Amino acid sequence: MDWFKKININIILLQIVFSTSLFFLYSGFNYEILYFENFSWFLKPSITNDIETYWISWEFFRSTDYLQFPLLLNPNYGEGLNVSIYHTDAIPLAAFVFRFFTDILPENFQYLGSWSLLSFFLMSFFSYKTLNLFIQNKTICFVSSIFFLIAPPFMDRVFLQQAVSSHWLILAAIYFYYSNNIKYKSWNLLLIISILINGYLAMMVFAIFTANIFLLHFKTQPSHFFKKFFLSLALMSFVSYATGLFSIGKGIKEGGFDLYGMSILGFLNPSSPTGSYSIVFDNLLSSSVLFVKEVEGFAFLGIGVLLLIVLILSKFRSEPSGLLNSKIHSPILLVATLLFIYSLSNNIFLLGNVDFLGSERILSYNVPKFLEPIVKVFRASGRFSWLLFYLIYIFSFVRFSEFFNPKKALTILCILFLVQVGDNYRIIRIFNNELESTSIHSQALEKIKLKDPIWQIIGTEYEKVNIYPLINKPRDYTRMAFFASAEGLSTNFGYFSRINHTIKERLNDEMYMNFNNGDFPEKTFYVIQDDDLWKTLLISYDKNISSVFIGEIDGYKLLIPGFNK
C-alpha cells in the first residue's frame, strides 16, 4: 500500500519536517547554531576548530571590492599569499551571495549553521528524487530516503566542514545521470554550483557527468561526447580561474596523497576522527581494532544499512532485478570503481589509514610521474569513495523494495532506521557537547577580543599585522585575526587549505631583512613567534629607542615600528 499516494501528502513539506527534525536530533538539539550572530559553538578548543577560519575569512571577504578580479579573492586575509575564499573552505557560493548584502547583515555574521540545515534538506530532496526513479511506491521511497540524512560520512562533516559535506551535489548528479530529461545546460549549472562549493565534490559531479554523456553519445555520436566533455571542462576551468581557485598558483599542488586515503574495509569501519558511529561494533570488536580510524576516507555504511544488505544477500537466489541489471549502470559504476581505487591512495591499508594509529599497511607503490599533478591537487583521495558509497545506498534500497510487499518493507525499514539512529547515540552525545552554545552568545566574542587598551590605538594607527615566521595556521592566530578584521587591518597570516610555499618563504625572507636593517613598511606591526629572533630583537631594539615599541601584550610578542610610547 502506498499511503502517501492515498492521502496525497505534500512530499516537500514532509522532507522539510524530517530534515529539520534530524538536524536537531543529531546536533544534540543545539538549535542555536542557526542564529546568525551566534559564534559561541565554534569559538572554543574542540573538533570544530576549522570553522573558525571559515568564519574569520568571511569577515575579511565581506569588505572586499565587488568588481575585484578574481571575484572571490580575499586579499586582506593572508595578504601577499594571493588566497581566495576557496582556500579557507568558507563555502564560496554562500560567501559570494552574502557579500552583496553585507551592509544590511549584522556586524558579526555566520551562515555555517544555516548551511548545515540546508544540506539536510537537499540530501532528503535529491535522495528521494533519485530513488523515485526506481521505486514507484512513494512511501517506501521516502522512508528509504531518510537513511541518506544519517549516512555516517555526511553526518561526520555536516556540522564541522560545511562545504565538503554538501553531499547532495553527488546525489543531484546521480539523479541527473538516471533522468532522461536533464538538459545539457542543467548539467553545466550543476557543475558551476559544485565548483563554487567544493573542488572535490565538483570533480565527482564532473565524473558522473562524463559517465552520462558517454552513455548517451559515445557509441552513436562520439563527436558529441568529446564536444560536451571539453566544453564543460573549459567552463569549469574558466569559472575556477575567474573566481580565484587558481590564485595561489603552484600552491594548488600539495603533498599528502599518501596520508589521506581510504582503507579496503573502510565501508565497515565505524571509527572516524569525531568518534565511533556504532555502539554495536564497539561491543563486538576489540579496542585495538576500534582505535584504528578512517580520516579523510571515513565512509561507514551504518549498522542499519549493513543489516539491510544482509537481508538482500539472504535473497540472493531470487530473480535478478530488472531495474538493476540494465546496461545504463555500467558507465557510472565504472567511474565509481575507478574513483574508489584512487581513494585507496598509494598506501593501501586493510583497516584505517594512519600508521601511527594502528593501521596495517598491506601495499605501497610510487605514484607514476604523469599522475603526480593530479594527486597533488586532489590529495585527500579518501573522499572519492563517496560516489560508490551512495551508489551502494541507492542500489540496496532499490533491490530491497523488490523483495517484500510494501507493508512488510515499511516495517523493516522503520526498524532499521531506529536501529541505526540508536547505534549513533554516542555520536549524538558528542555533537551535543561540541555544538553547545553559551547562554549569552556575545560572551564568546568577548573571550577572543584583545583586552589591553593599547589595541585601540594600534587599530587606529596601523593598517597591517604580520606574523613571523609566516606559516599556515600560526599559533593563537584566531584572536589576532579577529582583531584585524574588526579594525579593518590586513594580515599576512591565516589558516588555509593550501598556500604557495614559494611565496611564503619569500615573504619570510623579506621580513627577516626588515628586522636586520630596521627598514619597515609603513603602518605595519609584527607578532614574533620565533623565540631566538625575539631575544635578538630585544637586544637590537632597546627600550630606550623611541621609534620602536617592543614588548609582550595579551600573550603576543610585539614589535611595533613608529609607535609613540
Side-chain angles (χ1 to χ4, degrees):
M1 178 181 293
D2 191 343
W3 293 337
F4 284 9
K5 189 175 182 180
K6 184 177 180 180
I7 63 178
N8 195 28
I9 196 167
N10 188 314
I11 297 295
I12 297 292
L13 180 60
L14 205 60
Q15 289 171 336
I16 293 174
V17 171
F18 269 80
S19 59
T20 303
S21 299
L22 288 171
F23 169 86
F24 287 140
L25 174 64
Y26 273 82
S27 68
F29 296 97
N30 285 304
Y31 60 88
E32 292 173 317
I33 69 175
L34 294 173
Y35 296 172
F36 293 133
E37 295 180 84
N38 176 21
F39 309 91
S40 61
W41 57 285
F42 58 76
L43 292 182
K44 55 186 178 183
S46 67
I47 59 174
T48 60
N49 273 0
D50 283 2
I51 306 181
E52 293 177 357
T53 198
Y54 306 163
W55 164 61
I56 288 176
S57 65
W58 148 253
E59 287 295 323
F60 280 95
F61 178 74
R62 67 186 298 181
S63 300
T64 57
D65 294 332
Y66 289 107
L67 299 179
Q68 66 175 348
F69 188 85
L71 291 172
L72 300 182
L73 202 65
N74 205 2
N76 290 332
Y77 186 55
E79 183 179 343
L81 294 172
N82 300 325
V83 295
S84 71
I85 202 74
Y86 277 108
H87 307 119
T88 50
D89 291 329
I91 318 172
L93 178 62
F96 180 72
V97 171
F98 284 121
R99 172 68 184 86
F100 291 98
F101 303 97
T102 188
D103 292 336
I104 61 175
L105 293 175
E107 181 179 355
N108 293 301
F109 171 81
Q110 65 90 10
Y111 49 80
L112 301 166
S114 300
W115 187 271
S116 296
L117 177 59
L118 176 64
S119 288
F120 269 86
F121 169 72
L122 292 174
M123 286 291 286
S124 175
F125 180 82
F126 284 112
S127 61
Y128 175 85
K129 294 282 284 184
T130 304
L131 290 171
N132 198 218
L133 295 173
F134 303 102
I135 304 173
Q136 299 307 310
N137 187 302
K138 292 184 177 182
T139 311
I140 294 177
C141 186
F142 177 79
V143 175
S144 299
S145 72
I146 61 178
F147 280 83
F148 289 76
L149 278 70
I150 60 171
F154 167 70
M155 192 59 60
D156 198 53
R157 297 173 183 266
V158 66
F159 299 114
L160 310 177
Q161 296 176 312
Q162 284 77 5
V164 77
S165 68
S166 300
H167 291 188
W168 49 270
L169 289 166
I170 302 173
L171 294 175
I174 294 173
Y175 170 68
F176 278 24
Y177 176 89
Y178 284 110
S179 298
N180 295 322
N181 57 349
I182 301 300
K183 297 180 179 179
Y184 178 57
K185 291 181 180 179
S186 299
W187 266 115
N188 283 327
L189 178 61
L190 180 62
L191 290 169
I192 292 172
I193 291 173
S194 63
I195 199 65
L196 290 175
I197 294 176
N198 180 263
Y200 285 90
L201 295 175
M203 286 302 99
M204 283 179 257
V205 171
F206 184 75
I208 300 169
F209 162 74
T210 302
N212 180 252
I213 58 173
F214 180 89
L215 177 70
L216 296 176
H217 302 300
F218 192 76
K219 287 186 177 180
T220 57
Q221 297 173 304
S223 61
H224 281 54
F225 165 79
F226 288 109
K227 178 181 178 181
K228 290 183 176 181
F229 176 88
F230 286 110
L231 280 176
S232 295
L233 182 62
L235 176 63
M236 291 180 70
S237 300
F238 172 75
V239 171
S240 300
Y241 172 74
T243 52
L245 179 59
F246 306 140
S247 63
I248 57 175
K250 293 181 179 179
I252 199 72
K253 301 176 183 179
E254 284 270 7
F257 176 70
D258 56 334
L259 300 175
Y260 302 128
M262 180 188 183
S263 70
I264 292 175
L265 296 179
F267 290 134
L268 303 177
N269 189 352
S271 298
S272 81
T274 307
S276 175
Y277 277 77
S278 178
I279 297 174
V280 173
F281 275 61
D282 286 356
N283 293 324
L284 291 178
L285 302 177
S286 67
S287 58
S288 61
V289 173
L290 292 172
F291 187 66
V292 179
K293 299 181 183 295
E294 304 288 339
V295 184
E296 292 294 348
F298 176 69
F300 179 54
L301 289 167
I303 193 69
V305 173
L306 286 173
L307 290 173
L308 185 80
I309 293 173
V310 171
L311 284 174
I312 295 171
L313 293 176
S314 70
K315 300 281 187 177
F316 187 74
R317 294 184 179 180
S318 301
E319 293 184 6
S321 169
L323 294 174
L324 298 182
N325 282 350
S326 171
K327 292 182 179 180
I328 191 176
H329 306 295
S330 299
I332 195 170
L333 283 174
L334 176 61
V335 165
T337 303
L338 291 175
L339 290 181
F340 175 73
I341 293 172
Y342 181 83
S343 76
L344 299 176
S345 83
N346 62 324
N347 283 328
I348 301 177
F349 294 87
L350 183 64
L351 186 68
N353 66 330
V354 184
D355 284 307
F356 62 84
L357 291 182
S359 303
E360 184 177 346
R361 188 185 310 188
I362 60 176
L363 178 65
S364 182
Y365 63 90
N366 294 323
V367 176
K369 288 281 186 182
F370 72 94
L371 288 179
E372 286 185 358
I374 296 176
V375 303
K376 286 182 178 180
V377 173
F378 299 105
R379 56 177 179 164
S381 62
R383 299 175 180 180
F384 287 101
S385 64
W386 295 338
L387 173 55
L388 184 58
F389 174 93
Y390 286 112
L391 288 177
I392 291 173
Y393 259 49
I394 291 167
F395 293 159
S396 295
F397 287 109
V398 172
R399 190 66 172 130
F400 174 79
S401 69
E402 299 176 332
F403 288 144
F404 301 97
N405 64 63
K407 186 175 181 180
K408 190 173 183 180
L410 283 173
T411 303
I412 295 173
L413 286 173
C414 289
I415 292 173
L416 292 178
F417 176 77
L418 293 175
V419 167
Q420 183 151 325
V421 172
D423 200 41
N424 291 163
Y425 172 70
R426 288 178 183 170
I427 285 294
I428 294 174
R429 288 192 61 184
I430 289 173
F431 283 130
N432 174 259
N433 293 327
E434 288 293 329
L435 305 178
E436 186 178 8
S437 302
T438 58
S439 56
I440 302 176
H441 303 152
S442 59
Q443 289 179 349
L445 292 179
E446 290 299 322
K447 289 180 179 179
I448 67 170
K449 284 184 177 179
L450 302 176
K451 309 300 183 184
D452 197 292
I454 197 174
W455 295 111
Q456 298 178 13
I457 304 172
I458 294 174
T460 302
E461 296 186 1
Y462 288 81
E463 297 178 354
K464 183 178 181 181
V465 51
N466 286 345
I467 284 183
Y468 182 90
L470 175 58
I471 61 172
N472 196 4
K473 194 181 180 181
R475 183 175 65 254
D476 194 18
Y477 80 96
T478 306
R479 291 189 302 148
M480 187 59 69
F482 176 70
F483 164 75
S485 69
E487 298 295 332
L489 279 64
S490 64
T491 75
N492 74 334
F493 61 88
Y495 180 21
F496 313 105
S497 60
R498 54 194 73 197
I499 60 174
N500 189 317
H501 293 280
T502 301
I503 294 178
K504 181 198 73 173
E505 293 306 320
R506 176 173 57 79
L507 294 175
N508 273 327
D509 290 343
E510 290 176 0
M511 284 190 289
Y512 194 79
M513 289 179 61
N514 291 336
F515 296 139
N516 284 333
N517 58 30
D519 184 17
F520 301 102
E522 291 186 3
K523 298 186 177 182
T524 299
F525 73 95
Y526 297 85
V527 176
I528 309 300
Q529 295 190 341
D530 183 318
D531 291 338
D532 291 334
L533 176 65
W534 179 248
K535 293 176 184 177
T536 302
L537 292 174
L538 285 174
I539 298 172
S540 301
Y541 296 97
D542 186 270
K543 291 185 178 181
N544 295 321
I545 300 177
S546 60
S547 61
V548 177
F549 171 86
I550 185 166
E552 188 168 342
I553 302 174
D554 285 339
Y556 292 105
K557 296 173 181 176
L558 302 177
L559 186 144
I560 312 178
F563 190 74
N564 189 337
K565 291 182 289 186

